[in-house]
Amino acid sequence: FRFKDSLAEDLRRADLVISHAGAGSCLETLEKGKPLVVVTNEKLMHNHQLELAKQLHRDGHVLRCNCSTLVETLRSMDLSTLKPFPPGQPEKFALFLDKVVGFQ
């Protein structure tokens, strides 16, 4: 998609998501419990997407490839090897922030 207000319905119906490695795209997909293949562009400078993709892959949450290896990745993938992404814990951040600003 070039632009869409929300991908929530598409993610709900998806059996597999193939995406760039933007933090929002990755986290939204993983929080929905959908298997994710991230396609990175390794030619970008200061590529935070590549860093995120590598870490999520190391942690076992996503499959990672680039444009030239996408087809082979799809042919050989084993989605059963992916680990569920742990749910967020915003209360921990709230407690940390309270401590930092002196509310505790």
Side-chain angles (χ1 to χ4, degrees):
F1 299 101
R2 192 164 181 81
F3 176 79
K4 198 169 189 179
D5 287 333
S6 173
L7 296 176
E9 180 60 24
D10 299 292
L11 288 173
R12 187 187 67 73
R13 293 189 330 236
D15 294 320
L16 173 70
V17 175
I18 301 170
S19 176
H20 73 138
S25 300
C26 289
L27 294 177
E28 188 174 1
T29 300
L30 292 170
E31 287 171 352
K32 298 276 190 267
K34 301 298 180 166
L36 176 60
V37 175
V38 290
V39 181
T40 58
N41 180 353
E42 297 177 4
K43 295 178 183 176
L44 296 175
M45 292 181 61
H46 309 295
N47 192 350
H48 67 279
Q49 288 188 16
L50 180 58
E51 293 171 21
L52 177 61
K54 284 181 176 180
Q55 188 62 53
L56 289 172
H57 179 74
R58 274 192 298 266
D59 293 345
H61 301 300
V62 304
L63 298 175
R64 182 175 71 90
C65 64
N66 56 43
C67 289
S68 64
T69 61
L70 176 59
V71 172
E72 182 55 35
T73 298
L74 295 174
R75 283 187 182 134
S76 65
M77 69 184 178
D78 179 358
L79 298 178
S80 70
T81 63
L82 295 177
K83 298 176 185 174
F85 191 72
Q89 297 177 322
E91 63 280 354
K92 284 188 174 183
F93 178 72
L95 289 172
F96 169 77
L97 193 57
D98 285 348
K99 185 183 281 188
V100 168
V101 296
F103 291 143
Q104 278 187 332

